[in-house]
Amino acid sequence: MVERNSGFANLAQGYLFPEVAKRRREYQAKHPDAKIISLGVGNTTEPLTPHIAGAMASYAKALGTAKGYSGYGDEQGMTELREKIASVVYPKMVSADEVFISDGAKCDIARIQTLFGSKVKIAVQDPAYPVYVDGSVIVGAAGASSKSGHRGVTYLPCTAENNFFPDLTKIKPNSLIYFCSPNNPTGATSTRAELKKLVDFARKNGCIIIFDSAYYSFIRNKNLPRTIYEIPGARKCAIEINSFSKLAGFTGVRLGWSVVPSDLKFADGSSVKQDWNRVMTTLFNGASNIAQAGGLAALDKEGQKETKALVDFYLENAKIMQKTLTGKNFANAGVKVYYTGDSPYLWVKFPGWKSWDIFDKILDECRVVTTPGSGFGPSGESYLRFSSFGHRKDVEEACRRLSKLVL
């Protein structure tokens, strides 16, 4: 018989978001008339904007004509879109041939894990998006789970005490460093000085940074970097992963990109970009042409205006939630709300509570779904992540319910 991939046996029990969904279903089954509002999983809720939706609709309609039909494209993505991303998102920082179009950031992270294989050392922020660790475990780059995490993974606690920026000296030389800013789940956005420390450390210690910038469009503070390539030296030590999911509401459309600079090398001097190109052309057949048409529209003048308004809508939701979660009943219970205004997520600490226990209490008493912080790593215990992705009327109703919570 074929042996099972031992990586699956080494995974911690259950992936976070399916477990959240399972508990919601169970509660709904017991209370079929309850209107449950989700402030949990980071799925966008608002319609695609008119200019962007129109561009995709026009492209799709043209596929029904001989002149407008398109089949397979380049696996790396449409040249026009690669050029647009380079010029709009990374002006004078990267070239179009260093941009690779994909079906989303999560999928790119999985392919990154294939690129580097099972022998690479891993370091992750703690808490962190679960796929960094779980994907590494599946490919064999991390061992079995324990109470403190997975063996073979260096966890970098990001807490209020260190302003959510880790102690880099814990990282082993020649490691992959998964780093997300604005961070999911904490919402913390690293400063230019902090990212310079990260880049300098990586270069000195032979590390490669996998920089997840999927929430860059939420940064409103002009003093904060929106890409790792704003930092000198980053082209020699960093891959950036990005997405249209939160920028343009493409969570269901599926479109993202990676940047792999020509300057980035393996220990033997060979090109990381060359191997990444092989991964993309071998294991991927290219993003949807319709989705790429939408991506082009999102980055033109009208599209940028629309996406800014869309992101501003979610940021306003976050402010409404922040006002509620800093109210008297929460403050009197010692609840701490961490929110900078540059992220869709509020990171909220409930002293004395286990994450899943306060999750269940809020679901039971307020009929509001959140995300337990412990699901993002050991340092997330006693926290909940509140997501601003929601219809305004639902966010306002959830806040009314939360304001009556007795802690």
Side-chain angles (χ1 to χ4, degrees), residues 52-68:
I52 298 169
M56 287 191 284
S58 296
Y59 193 97
K61 185 175 181 180
L63 290 173
T65 68
K67 184 178 179 180

PDB file of all heavy atoms in Angstrom, residues 52-68:
ATOM      1  N   ILE A  52     -14.650  47.886 -12.379  1.00  0.00           N
ATOM      2  CA  ILE A  52     -13.924  46.619 -12.377  1.00  0.00           C
ATOM      3  C   ILE A  52     -14.823  45.479 -12.842  1.00  0.00           C
ATOM      4  O   ILE A  52     -14.431  44.657 -13.692  1.00  0.00           O
ATOM      5  CB  ILE A  52     -13.339  46.343 -10.981  1.00  0.00           C
ATOM      6  CG1 ILE A  52     -12.334  47.446 -10.610  1.00  0.00           C
ATOM      7  CG2 ILE A  52     -12.687  44.969 -10.918  1.00  0.00           C
ATOM      8  CD1 ILE A  52     -11.888  47.420  -9.161  1.00  0.00           C
ATOM      9  N   ALA A  53     -16.048  45.421 -12.312  1.00  0.00           N
ATOM     10  CA  ALA A  53     -16.990  44.382 -12.736  1.00  0.00           C
ATOM     11  C   ALA A  53     -17.304  44.521 -14.222  1.00  0.00           C
ATOM     12  O   ALA A  53     -17.411  43.516 -14.950  1.00  0.00           O
ATOM     13  CB  ALA A  53     -18.276  44.469 -11.919  1.00  0.00           C
ATOM     14  N   GLY A  54     -17.426  45.767 -14.683  1.00  0.00           N
ATOM     15  CA  GLY A  54     -17.712  46.003 -16.096  1.00  0.00           C
ATOM     16  C   GLY A  54     -16.600  45.509 -17.001  1.00  0.00           C
ATOM     17  O   GLY A  54     -16.859  44.955 -18.089  1.00  0.00           O
ATOM     18  N   ALA A  55     -15.357  45.703 -16.573  1.00  0.00           N
ATOM     19  CA  ALA A  55     -14.220  45.246 -17.376  1.00  0.00           C
ATOM     20  C   ALA A  55     -14.224  43.731 -17.508  1.00  0.00           C
ATOM     21  O   ALA A  55     -13.976  43.182 -18.600  1.00  0.00           O
ATOM     22  CB  ALA A  55     -12.912  45.724 -16.744  1.00  0.00           C
ATOM     23  N   MET A  56     -14.535  43.028 -16.432  1.00  0.00           N
ATOM     24  CA  MET A  56     -14.583  41.566 -16.494  1.00  0.00           C
ATOM     25  C   MET A  56     -15.766  41.084 -17.323  1.00  0.00           C
ATOM     26  O   MET A  56     -15.652  40.120 -18.094  1.00  0.00           O
ATOM     27  CB  MET A  56     -14.640  40.980 -15.082  1.00  0.00           C
ATOM     28  CG  MET A  56     -13.308  41.080 -14.345  1.00  0.00           C
ATOM     29  SD  MET A  56     -13.255  40.115 -12.811  1.00  0.00           S
ATOM     30  CE  MET A  56     -14.223  41.178 -11.756  1.00  0.00           C
ATOM     31  N   ALA A  57     -16.898  41.774 -17.182  1.00  0.00           N
ATOM     32  CA  ALA A  57     -18.074  41.391 -17.961  1.00  0.00           C
ATOM     33  C   ALA A  57     -17.808  41.580 -19.453  1.00  0.00           C
ATOM     34  O   ALA A  57     -18.185  40.722 -20.282  1.00  0.00           O
ATOM     35  CB  ALA A  57     -19.278  42.223 -17.523  1.00  0.00           C
ATOM     36  N   SER A  58     -17.171  42.668 -19.816  1.00  0.00           N
ATOM     37  CA  SER A  58     -16.866  42.924 -21.232  1.00  0.00           C
ATOM     38  C   SER A  58     -15.913  41.879 -21.782  1.00  0.00           C
ATOM     39  O   SER A  58     -16.075  41.400 -22.915  1.00  0.00           O
ATOM     40  CB  SER A  58     -16.264  44.332 -21.389  1.00  0.00           C
ATOM     41  OG  SER A  58     -17.204  45.325 -21.032  1.00  0.00           O
ATOM     42  N   TYR A  59     -14.913  41.518 -20.965  1.00  0.00           N
ATOM     43  CA  TYR A  59     -13.958  40.511 -21.408  1.00  0.00           C
ATOM     44  C   TYR A  59     -14.655  39.166 -21.596  1.00  0.00           C
ATOM     45  O   TYR A  59     -14.436  38.464 -22.596  1.00  0.00           O
ATOM     46  CB  TYR A  59     -12.815  40.388 -20.408  1.00  0.00           C
ATOM     47  CG  TYR A  59     -11.641  39.598 -20.929  1.00  0.00           C
ATOM     48  CD1 TYR A  59     -10.536  40.240 -21.467  1.00  0.00           C
ATOM     49  CD2 TYR A  59     -11.643  38.205 -20.905  1.00  0.00           C
ATOM     50  CE1 TYR A  59      -9.456  39.512 -21.965  1.00  0.00           C
ATOM     51  CE2 TYR A  59     -10.586  37.474 -21.401  1.00  0.00           C
ATOM     52  CZ  TYR A  59      -9.489  38.130 -21.928  1.00  0.00           C
ATOM     53  OH  TYR A  59      -8.440  37.413 -22.441  1.00  0.00           O
ATOM     54  N   ALA A  60     -15.518  38.822 -20.630  1.00  0.00           N
ATOM     55  CA  ALA A  60     -16.228  37.539 -20.709  1.00  0.00           C
ATOM     56  C   ALA A  60     -17.138  37.499 -21.932  1.00  0.00           C
ATOM     57  O   ALA A  60     -17.223  36.479 -22.634  1.00  0.00           O
ATOM     58  CB  ALA A  60     -17.029  37.315 -19.437  1.00  0.00           C
ATOM     59  N   LYS A  61     -17.814  38.605 -22.194  1.00  0.00           N
ATOM     60  CA  LYS A  61     -18.702  38.644 -23.358  1.00  0.00           C
ATOM     61  C   LYS A  61     -17.911  38.494 -24.655  1.00  0.00           C
ATOM     62  O   LYS A  61     -18.336  37.788 -25.583  1.00  0.00           O
ATOM     63  CB  LYS A  61     -19.476  39.961 -23.367  1.00  0.00           C
ATOM     64  CG  LYS A  61     -20.519  40.043 -24.465  1.00  0.00           C
ATOM     65  CD  LYS A  61     -21.338  41.322 -24.358  1.00  0.00           C
ATOM     66  CE  LYS A  61     -22.404  41.377 -25.445  1.00  0.00           C
ATOM     67  NZ  LYS A  61     -23.222  42.625 -25.346  1.00  0.00           N
ATOM     68  N   ALA A  62     -16.743  39.129 -24.714  1.00  0.00           N
ATOM     69  CA  ALA A  62     -15.917  39.057 -25.918  1.00  0.00           C
ATOM     70  C   ALA A  62     -15.405  37.649 -26.184  1.00  0.00           C
ATOM     71  O   ALA A  62     -15.107  37.296 -27.333  1.00  0.00           O
ATOM     72  CB  ALA A  62     -14.734  40.026 -25.801  1.00  0.00           C
ATOM     73  N   LEU A  63     -15.326  36.823 -25.135  1.00  0.00           N
ATOM     74  CA  LEU A  63     -14.887  35.440 -25.334  1.00  0.00           C
ATOM     75  C   LEU A  63     -15.833  34.665 -26.239  1.00  0.00           C
ATOM     76  O   LEU A  63     -15.456  33.628 -26.795  1.00  0.00           O
ATOM     77  CB  LEU A  63     -14.754  34.728 -23.981  1.00  0.00           C
ATOM     78  CG  LEU A  63     -13.607  35.174 -23.079  1.00  0.00           C
ATOM     79  CD1 LEU A  63     -13.722  34.497 -21.710  1.00  0.00           C
ATOM     80  CD2 LEU A  63     -12.257  34.858 -23.707  1.00  0.00           C
ATOM     81  N   GLY A  64     -17.046  35.160 -26.387  1.00  0.00           N
ATOM     82  CA  GLY A  64     -18.007  34.508 -27.259  1.00  0.00           C
ATOM     83  C   GLY A  64     -17.890  34.923 -28.713  1.00  0.00           C
ATOM     84  O   GLY A  64     -18.748  34.568 -29.523  1.00  0.00           O
ATOM     85  N   THR A  65     -16.822  35.648 -29.041  1.00  0.00           N
ATOM     86  CA  THR A  65     -16.592  36.067 -30.424  1.00  0.00           C
ATOM     87  C   THR A  65     -15.245  35.540 -30.898  1.00  0.00           C
ATOM     88  O   THR A  65     -14.336  35.282 -30.086  1.00  0.00           O
ATOM     89  CB  THR A  65     -16.595  37.601 -30.539  1.00  0.00           C
ATOM     90  OG1 THR A  65     -15.444  38.140 -29.870  1.00  0.00           O
ATOM     91  CG2 THR A  65     -17.857  38.188 -29.912  1.00  0.00           C
ATOM     92  N   ALA A  66     -15.107  35.409 -32.206  1.00  0.00           N
ATOM     93  CA  ALA A  66     -13.838  34.926 -32.758  1.00  0.00           C
ATOM     94  C   ALA A  66     -12.711  35.905 -32.468  1.00  0.00           C
ATOM     95  O   ALA A  66     -11.587  35.510 -32.151  1.00  0.00           O
ATOM     96  CB  ALA A  66     -13.978  34.717 -34.270  1.00  0.00           C
ATOM     97  N   LYS A  67     -13.023  37.185 -32.541  1.00  0.00           N
ATOM     98  CA  LYS A  67     -11.993  38.195 -32.318  1.00  0.00           C
ATOM     99  C   LYS A  67     -11.591  38.287 -30.851  1.00  0.00           C
ATOM    100  O   LYS A  67     -10.428  38.500 -30.519  1.00  0.00           O
ATOM    101  CB  LYS A  67     -12.500  39.554 -32.810  1.00  0.00           C
ATOM    102  CG  LYS A  67     -11.464  40.656 -32.702  1.00  0.00           C
ATOM    103  CD  LYS A  67     -12.006  41.974 -33.252  1.00  0.00           C
ATOM    104  CE  LYS A  67     -10.973  43.081 -33.126  1.00  0.00           C
ATOM    105  NZ  LYS A  67     -11.497  44.385 -33.652  1.00  0.00           N
ATOM    106  N   GLY A  68     -12.547  38.108 -29.952  1.00  0.00           N
ATOM    107  CA  GLY A  68     -12.283  38.315 -28.522  1.00  0.00           C
ATOM    108  C   GLY A  68     -11.896  37.074 -27.752  1.00  0.00           C
ATOM    109  O   GLY A  68     -11.520  37.155 -26.579  1.00  0.00           O
TER     110      GLY A  68
END
